[in-house]
Amino acid sequence: MPRGCQDRRTLPLPPSQADRPCSTGVLTGGDPSQLRPPGPGSSVLAGADAGADSRVTGDQSPPPRLKEIQSFAGAEKDTRVVGEIAFQLDRRILAYVFPGVTRLYGFTVANIPEKIKQTSTKSLDGSVDERKLRELTQRYLALSARLEKLGYSRDVHPAFSEFLINTYGILKQRPDLRANPLHNSPAALRKLVIDVVPPKFLGDSLLLLNCLCELSKEDGKPLFAW
């Protein structure tokens, strides 16, 4: 997770990912540059005062360069929503498997089996709490079975989620559903994913969104709950 996001939520991710594209492909060996979010170039700011004369003539419409900058800012925010979808799904999975655990630093979907053993081990004598181990394992297997019916693969999609998060980043602040209802609209999020993600990775990206929507229906919480 980018360091700036660790204060907002505790799911760990590789540092500085929010503004850096992934360096390697995950699923099909595709060129990760195809997933690189649009980055600011020097040409965006060049000539930003091109519409300065409008202040003299009384023209209140934004200068062309200002429109371009505003458009870029919106596009950058939209790409982060793709990573946010993956983050929210991962966070929901972890919250279900480990109920009552509020600090999930070091927990990932990929290392759930390892964390189940660690969480079930008593710190005093190193013995295993067999009841807790059994309960957490049952929760994990039950959730996995539900997600697998939607096409989710434990061997593929945890890594793919990390790929999307590393590539697109996540929202810099906790989502505000009142300010942006899009964040709780499956149809709007689906359209955004289709517009942003390359065709090669679109199917798996939409699958993650579908899983998130189903879990949201089950627990009654907003899509972006964390």
Side-chain angles (χ1 to χ4, degrees), residues 152-167:
Y152 188 93
S153 169
R154 284 183 287 172
D155 297 326
V156 173
H157 290 106
F160 184 69
S161 288
E162 292 183 9
F163 179 44
L164 291 184
I165 295 169
N166 287 336
T167 301

Side-chain angles (χ1 to χ4, degrees), residues 93-101 104 107 112-121 128-144 154:
I93 292 173
L94 291 173
Y96 179 86
V97 176
F98 301 98
V101 178
L104 292 168
F107 288 65
I112 283 179
E114 172 189 339
K115 290 299 181 180
I116 287 178
K117 295 178 181 178
Q118 178 181 321
T119 305
S120 303
T121 300
V128 175
D129 184 334
E130 294 294 342
R131 179 179 178 181
K132 186 173 184 179
L133 177 65
R134 184 169 57 254
E135 289 177 350
L136 295 181
T137 300
Q138 289 175 347
R139 294 183 70 87
Y140 175 51
L141 294 178
L143 180 59
S144 296
R154 284 183 287 172

